[in-house]
Amino acid sequence: MKIEATGKSVEIAIQNGLLECGMKREDVEVEVVENGGLFKKAKVILTWGEEKKDEKQEENKIETEEESKVEDNETKVETSEEQVKVEKTQKPKRVVDTARLEAKGVEFLTGLAKLVDENATVNATAGENEISFSITGEKVGKLIGYHGENIQAIQVLLSGLKTRGESPVRMYLDIDGYKQNRNQSIIDLANRVAEQAVKIERNIHLDPMNAYDRRIVHTTLQGRDDVTTESTGEGEKRHVVIKPIFKK
């Protein structure tokens, strides 16, 4: 599969794409279409699954054709020295220190929250390959932003606390229960619109959403056999289309 994502920088565009497709960084191939600049957004294309596999198969096919041109009497011998050389070049990813990352996240968010509410509290819960942070307080709503845009921006900064080369760990952030309530609202909307699309037998376009919210819609409806979803549009106009599946 393949999706296109945008952002203020290439790294943010990649993060937005990963949020939308729900993939890990090492499981996708990234093609930078636009590096972005002062007046335009960066644009990238993320590829995974079958399309990525097809590209790999094509590469293998070309390599096989080239190898077939080698004379029959020329054999390749892989020595133990060459094996050691290969092993040295394949640097294993370091396992992330979840406790360190959790502590750094709490410290960062606490400093941020205190700017708007001296009595704000920050909590963190570590799970398998993920850490969820929450900020609560009477005035922390100022950190949410329009349609949760500030939450997404802060979450990207949280991801930046990871050291390059560490195993992937997802960083989630909620502020005063906003995201939990909004997530449920999006789930309800997705199911309601899916039922309507099936009933009227027409595609229905949802309003533009950020990458995180679009991912919720895709995840909510992916188990249904009567509708399918896809993201379309660019930049701030990117949205989800819910399509009914016509059974024979």
Side-chain angles (χ1 to χ4, degrees), residues 3 6 9 18 35 50 53 60 67 77 91-92 101 127 142 152 155 159 167 183 188 195 204 208 215 219 225 234 248:
I3 66 168
T6 59
S9 67
L18 293 176
N35 286 317
E50 292 299 322
K53 183 170 66 176
N60 292 338
E67 290 175 358
V77 179
K91 296 181 180 180
L101 192 56
K142 297 177 181 179
Q152 299 306 318
Q155 190 164 293
S159 298
S167 59
N183 288 358
D188 294 341
E195 294 295 335
I204 297 181
R215 181 188 171 201
T219 302
D225 60 0
E234 296 185 4
K248 296 181 180 180

Side-chain angles (χ1 to χ4, degrees), residues 5 19 52 62 76 83 99 110 145 160 174 189 209 216-217 248:
L19 281 173
K52 182 177 178 182
I62 294 174
K76 295 182 178 180
Q83 291 176 339
T110 299
D174 197 1
L189 172 67
M209 295 178 176
I216 294 176
V217 176
K248 296 181 180 180

Side-chain angles (χ1 to χ4, degrees), residues 83-151:
Q83 291 176 339
V84 172
K85 184 178 180 180
V86 170
E87 291 173 358
K88 287 183 178 179
T89 58
Q90 296 176 345
K91 296 181 180 180
K93 290 187 176 181
R94 290 178 293 152
V95 177
V96 67
D97 184 347
T98 305
R100 177 193 63 80
L101 192 56
E102 182 178 331
K104 287 183 66 176
V106 170
E107 180 182 6
F108 166 70
L109 293 175
T110 299
L112 185 64
K114 296 298 183 182
L115 294 175
V116 297
D117 188 343
E118 279 294 329
N119 298 316
T121 58
V122 177
N123 293 305
T125 303
E128 185 176 357
N129 297 324
E130 68 177 43
I131 304 176
S132 297
F133 297 91
S134 65
I135 303 176
T136 56
E138 292 184 2
K139 302 177 182 178
V140 295
K142 297 177 181 179
L143 297 174
I144 295 174
Y146 180 69
H147 284 177
E149 290 179 348
N150 289 352
I151 293 181

Side-chain angles (χ1 to χ4, degrees), residues 28-234:
V28 302
E29 290 185 356
V30 179
E31 177 186 350
V32 179
V33 180
E34 294 284 351
N35 286 317
L38 186 59
F39 299 107
K40 66 178 181 179
K41 291 186 176 182
K43 182 187 298 184
V44 299
I45 294 177
L46 306 186
T47 306
W48 73 95
E50 292 299 322
E51 293 192 21
K52 182 177 178 182
K53 183 170 66 176
D54 291 342
E55 292 175 2
K56 187 64 177 178
Q57 289 175 343
E58 184 63 26
E59 291 176 3
N60 292 338
K61 180 180 178 182
I62 294 174
E63 291 176 359
T64 302
E65 291 175 350
E66 291 178 349
E67 290 175 358
S68 65
K69 296 178 182 179
V70 180
E71 295 181 359
D72 294 337
N73 62 352
E74 188 176 358
T75 58
K76 295 182 178 180
V77 179
E78 187 178 45
T79 64
S80 58
E81 292 182 356
E82 290 174 333
Q83 291 176 339
V84 172
K85 184 178 180 180
V86 170
E87 291 173 358
K88 287 183 178 179
T89 58
Q90 296 176 345
K91 296 181 180 180
K93 290 187 176 181
R94 290 178 293 152
V95 177
V96 67
D97 184 347
T98 305
R100 177 193 63 80
L101 192 56
E102 182 178 331
K104 287 183 66 176
V106 170
E107 180 182 6
F108 166 70
L109 293 175
T110 299
L112 185 64
K114 296 298 183 182
L115 294 175
V116 297
D117 188 343
E118 279 294 329
N119 298 316
T121 58
V122 177
N123 293 305
T125 303
E128 185 176 357
N129 297 324
E130 68 177 43
I131 304 176
S132 297
F133 297 91
S134 65
I135 303 176
T136 56
E138 292 184 2
K139 302 177 182 178
V140 295
K142 297 177 181 179
L143 297 174
I144 295 174
Y146 180 69
H147 284 177
E149 290 179 348
N150 289 352
I151 293 181
Q152 299 306 318
I154 297 172
Q155 190 164 293
V156 171
L157 294 176
L158 274 173
S159 298
L161 297 177
K162 292 184 291 186
T163 303
R164 185 179 296 277
E166 288 182 331
S167 59
V169 173
R170 294 186 181 277
M171 313 282 275
Y172 297 105
L173 172 65
D174 197 1
I175 299 177
D176 209 24
Y178 168 83
K179 186 171 287 186
Q180 181 178 355
N181 294 332
R182 179 169 175 77
N183 288 358
Q184 188 58 52
S185 295
I186 294 174
I187 291 172
D188 294 341
L189 172 67
N191 286 319
R192 186 169 63 252
V193 174
E195 294 295 335
Q196 185 179 0
V198 172
K199 183 177 181 179
I200 66 176
E201 298 185 345
R202 290 185 180 179
N203 298 345
I204 297 181
H205 293 245
L206 299 182
D207 290 336
M209 295 178 176
N210 59 41
Y212 180 85
D213 291 346
R214 293 196 301 271
R215 181 188 171 201
I216 294 176
V217 176
H218 293 310
T219 302
T220 299
L221 301 180
Q222 67 181 4
R224 298 184 58 142
D225 60 0
D226 54 353
V227 296
T228 184
T229 61
E230 72 172 13
S231 292
T232 185
E234 296 185 4

